[in-house]
Amino acid sequence: MIALGILAVILVAAVAVGLLLRRNEGRVRERAVAPRPLEPESNRAALLAAAGVVPGRPTVLHFSADWCGPCAAVRRVVAGVVAELADAELPPLDLEVDIDEFAELARELNVLSLPTTFGLDSRGLERFRISGVPKAADLRTSMASLTAAASDE
């Protein structure tokens, strides 16, 4: 009887942890813009440029890999949102990078899991990050604010 009680407690705890993890997947986490430029010792700007980030243009940067199943869904969601925002004043750039090829950039941006999607403003600063498959409406809202405000930065 005690074993059944312990098993029930473990099962309830596992379900609770699973629900908490599931709730945060695909959620947009906004980042505050740094009030000062990047430190000279940081090579983040050079790594972003090597990955294809263009200065003066907002970018959706998503890390993927050949072995990542959910990355295909991220590819479709990001492509759809970028296509919807193509007529914006400053249309966003859709940039997919392989985590194995750009491992140093992934370390610099603290990518811990795949898929991970970043929203970069026109200065290349991280404005938001999404772990998991993003929800199209959330990504659209976050990117629309970057494309509209990009000329004001």
Side-chain angles (χ1 to χ4, degrees):
M1 189 65 171
I2 293 175
L4 287 176
I6 291 172
L7 184 60
V9 168
I10 291 172
L11 182 62
V12 167
V15 168
V17 168
L19 289 174
L20 285 174
L21 290 175
R22 179 92 173 160
R23 183 185 65 147
N24 289 329
E25 185 175 303
R27 184 184 261 176
V28 175
R29 293 179 294 178
E30 300 289 332
R31 298 279 184 194
V33 177
R36 55 188 168 80
L38 295 174
E39 292 81 19
E41 64 270 4
S42 173
N43 61 348
R44 180 177 292 197
L47 291 171
L48 287 171
V53 174
V54 178
R57 190 163 175 198
T59 304
V60 180
L61 174 69
H62 48 111
F63 283 88
S64 66
D66 293 337
W67 45 265
C68 174
C71 292
V74 172
R75 196 174 297 121
R76 287 189 301 273
V77 169
V78 170
V81 169
V82 168
E84 290 175 15
L85 296 174
D87 294 333
E89 184 178 327
L90 196 56
L93 176 65
D94 176 5
L95 188 59
E96 179 178 2
V97 295
D98 186 272
I99 194 166
D100 297 323
E101 185 179 342
F102 292 93
E104 190 175 351
L105 177 60
R107 277 191 298 279
E108 177 72 26
L109 294 175
N110 199 26
V111 176
L112 301 176
S113 64
L114 286 181
T116 299
T117 305
F118 292 92
L120 306 175
D121 65 12
S122 60
R123 295 175 293 172
L125 298 175
E126 178 183 338
R127 298 297 290 267
F128 64 86
R129 151 190 313 231
I130 303 169
S131 297
V133 179
K135 294 168 181 58
D138 293 340
L139 183 61
R140 186 179 312 107
T141 302
S142 297
M143 284 310 297
S145 67
L146 291 180
T147 58
S151 61
D152 298 332
E153 294 177 14

